[in-house]
Amino acid sequence: MTIRTVKKAIFPVGGLGTRFLPATKSMPKEMLPIHSKPMIQHAFEEAVTAGIEQFIFITGRNKSAINDHFDYSYELEKALSDKDKRIQLQETSGWLPPAGSLAFIRQREPLGLGHAVWCARHFIGDEPFAVLLADEVYLDKGFLKQMVYTHEQTGHNVIAVDDVPSEDTSRYGIVVPGDRNTTSIAIKGMIEKPHPSEAPSNVAIVGRYILTPRIFDFLEEGHKGAGGEIQLTDSLAQLVKEQDFTGLFSPKHRYDCGHQLGYLEANIAFALQDDPKKVTSLLKQFIA
Ligand code: G1P
């Protein structure tokens, strides 16, 4: 088996963000800031750190702020440049990848995560690729790189996993566990959002995937699953019958920003990382 390097990443950003209404009525959820950067930029930076060179965003209507964020902003840059504000200029567009490395595909209908990933099939072709769900936010930007490394060493599909409380299994894809050690677990199957009484474990899929293109053959069938949506997890459950899967346990500082409390936690964690002294003393005032 020839193992190819992972150079492409898919960012499904077409969701409606209903858990954050009214904030997300006219603004994409993925543009909500965590500390100074929008959620999507945190995920993008992880991909860059992992060596990804082509970035494919699966968007929808009302998401054009994401396209604009990954483009030059001429008026702003002219104003900053006239005032010689170099740091702000760097923050505005110094981090943008070379022209031609970003693609934006309209999903047209929010039919589910599996459908969103399938929409990128022509851009991925016959290569392994990453999927990053921007509402899972990792403080450590290096985890995706470890996942890519694991794929390139083994050829396995690699999925980020985490132990979650039993009562939370219905929020996640949950894996059927095989052998486990402190950093990884063999995955034997998976099921999308099972009720705690039906969950095969409490090991959840947490928003980062390295997959082989074979997944598209299963996604192509377009079966609807949990919540009436075309679920990525259902196609993974078919793929696991013919290819190996490794789950890598995510670092401790992972924040599920699909929920308001996780979003708040992420903001505190990034602020603490930036200025531990000031933020700790600020937090103490709230607790006192
Ligand atoms: C999606 C996936 C689910 C995964 C979760 C991680 O669900 O379908 O398998 O565990 O992301 O956040 P969503 O949160 O989009 O409902």
Side-chain angles (χ1 to χ4, degrees):
M1 179 179 57
T2 325
I3 301 172
R4 301 184 61 176
T5 54
V6 182
K7 293 291 169 203
K8 296 179 180 173
I10 303 174
F11 299 84
V13 291
L16 298 175
T18 47
R19 290 192 198 111
F20 281 90
L21 283 168
T24 50
K25 185 178 170 190
S26 62
M27 182 179 74
K29 171 180 77 175
E30 297 78 11
M31 287 301 292
L32 292 173
I34 295 185
H35 201 36
S36 60
K37 288 174 194 163
M39 268 186 214
I40 187 66
Q41 193 176 340
H42 286 286
F44 170 79
E45 287 178 359
E46 270 181 62
V48 171
T49 306
I52 299 296
E53 292 172 358
Q54 293 180 44
F55 309 85
I56 302 155
F57 297 81
I58 311 300
T59 72
R61 281 177 292 283
N62 272 340
K63 299 282 182 166
S64 53
I66 299 177
N67 302 41
D68 293 341
H69 189 69
F70 285 87
D71 198 353
Y72 289 132
S73 172
Y74 283 104
E75 297 79 0
L76 181 59
E77 283 166 53
K78 167 99 179 43
L80 292 172
S81 160
D82 288 350
K83 291 182 183 150
D84 203 23
K85 298 207 165 182
R86 290 180 205 180
I87 295 171
Q88 289 90 336
L89 259 175
Q90 169 64 24
E91 281 165 353
T92 304
S93 57
W95 50 273
L96 286 173
S101 34
L102 302 168
F104 296 86
I105 301 172
R106 284 270 186 120
Q107 191 181 357
R108 299 205 291 223
E109 293 175 272
L111 294 179
L113 178 60
H115 179 260
V117 171
W118 177 76
C119 286
R121 64 200 179 284
H122 297 303
F123 288 77
I124 298 294
D126 196 25
E127 296 177 35
F129 60 97
V131 179
L132 294 93
L133 308 186
D135 60 7
E136 291 280 353
V137 176
Y138 290 65
L139 191 62
D140 171 6
K141 294 275 192 290
F143 184 62
L144 190 74
K145 188 174 181 178
Q146 279 180 46
M147 293 178 64
V148 166
Y149 180 77
T150 303
H151 171 77
E152 289 175 356
Q153 293 300 305
T154 62
H156 291 188
N157 294 273
V158 183
I159 294 189
V161 294
D162 197 6
D163 288 309
V164 297
S166 298
E167 64 269 24
D168 287 349
T169 58
S170 57
R171 278 171 38 190
Y172 294 98
I174 299 293
V175 311
V176 179
D179 290 344
R180 172 176 182 158
N181 60 37
T182 48
T183 55
S184 69
I185 186 167
I187 296 177
K188 299 295 172 198
M190 47 282 265
I191 166 168
E192 181 69 4
K193 303 199 169 88
H195 185 271
S197 63
E198 281 158 19
S201 71
N202 66 341
V203 179
I205 298 172
V206 287
R208 302 288 181 273
Y209 309 76
I210 309 293
L211 302 175
T212 68
R214 173 79 171 121
I215 192 74
F216 291 119
D217 297 328
F218 299 108
L219 291 170
E220 179 82 28
E221 293 168 14
H223 296 307
K224 291 193 172 158
E229 295 187 356
I230 301 170
Q231 297 290 354
L232 179 58
T233 304
D234 294 345
S235 288
L236 297 174
Q238 287 180 275
L239 184 59
V240 80
K241 292 179 192 155
E242 59 175 71
Q243 291 184 357
D244 289 323
F245 273 70
T246 295
L248 277 195
F249 284 99
S250 68
K252 198 168 109 222
H253 301 292
R254 169 191 75 83
Y255 304 99
D256 182 353
C257 295
H259 294 263
Q260 294 189 11
L261 212 55
Y263 177 70
L264 176 64
E265 261 185 289
N267 269 292
I268 294 171
F270 276 86
L272 270 171
Q273 191 186 44
D274 189 36
D275 193 339
K277 252 186 163 171
K278 265 196 194 153
V279 178
T280 308
S281 92
L282 181 82
L283 289 174
K284 278 186 188 151
Q285 291 174 33
F286 281 95
I287 298 159

